[in-house]
Amino acid sequence: LGFVGAGIVIPFYCLKKLPSYFHYSLPGVILLVGAGIAMFLLYRSRHDKAVFGVLVGMAAAAFLYTTSVIFPVANDFQSGRFLSQEVSAQMQPGDQLGVYRKRVGVYNFYTGIVPIAQLRNEKQLFRFLQSAGRVFCLVEAKALAAFQAKGIMPANVRIITERRVDDDMMVLLSND
């Protein structure tokens, strides 16, 4: 019954302390109350293994919800969501997106763009930026500064925006 009690208290706490995040608490309430009632009923009917299964399932659901929804909301700078939204707003059908020396998974997830070109070295990056069609590329600001210091950036490339993702400042480039 502790889960049911927590499920009832959490929305009131969120409503009082964090009203703009109230709607994020509702799936947690459903999870806690549902799991609490299920565990109570299963325990009363002596289904101990099923109680453990509900507990493990609840923990897994809480982990997935926390890592995919709560963490990006709680710390915007750790998430690629806002940069991905800007990328999506800039791109049109037929445009391509590349990411230089970073994982593409977070950008696949938030933009819905598949495939995203994973550019592993300078040669691939410059070839991608000199493509015939319009392309966009996410590059770490430090790498971009190094390219500019060397004077090797293509002339047609322009910076669209910069955003912090994890501990890195990421720059969105385009060749138009």
Side-chain angles (χ1 to χ4, degrees):
L1 292 177
F3 289 131
V4 174
I8 294 170
V9 170
I10 286 174
F12 291 111
Y13 176 81
C14 283
L15 202 54
K16 183 175 179 166
K17 298 285 187 178
L18 306 162
S20 62
Y21 296 106
F22 174 73
H23 63 282
Y24 291 110
S25 71
L26 297 179
V29 169
I30 293 167
L31 178 67
L32 287 172
V33 171
I37 291 171
M39 287 172 60
F40 176 74
L41 294 174
L42 289 168
Y43 180 75
R44 298 274 294 165
S45 62
R46 306 279 186 229
H47 291 91
D48 295 334
K49 290 180 183 176
V51 170
F52 181 72
V54 170
L55 184 63
V56 169
M58 185 191 73
F63 173 77
L64 292 173
Y65 184 70
T66 302
T67 55
S68 64
V69 176
I70 302 298
F71 287 165
V73 169
N75 192 349
D76 297 337
F77 297 119
Q78 294 295 83
S79 170
R81 180 177 62 163
F82 295 109
L83 181 57
S84 295
Q85 288 172 344
E86 291 183 39
V87 168
S88 296
Q90 293 285 332
M91 291 187 69
Q92 296 174 357
D95 293 347
Q96 292 181 339
L97 177 62
V99 178
Y100 178 67
R101 288 191 178 170
K102 290 287 181 183
R103 294 185 322 247
V104 299
V106 69
Y107 304 111
N108 282 123
F109 179 75
Y110 287 121
T111 62
I113 298 169
V114 176
I116 295 177
Q118 190 163 12
L119 311 168
R120 292 178 175 26
N121 56 47
E122 292 177 17
K123 186 177 179 181
Q124 290 177 342
L125 172 67
F126 296 134
R127 188 179 313 129
F128 182 76
L129 288 172
Q130 293 172 342
S131 298
R134 192 166 106 157
V135 297
F136 293 87
C137 188
L138 293 166
V139 178
E140 205 174 333
K142 288 185 246 175
L144 178 63
F147 297 146
Q148 290 172 333
K150 292 179 188 175
I152 56 175
M153 280 303 291
N156 63 336
V157 174
R158 68 180 178 95
I159 296 173
I160 295 176
T161 188
E162 292 185 40
R163 276 236 186 230
R164 183 167 298 284
V165 176
D166 290 330
D167 295 328
D168 302 317
M169 185 61 78
M170 296 298 290
V171 180
L172 177 62
L173 304 174
S174 178
N175 68 346
D176 64 345

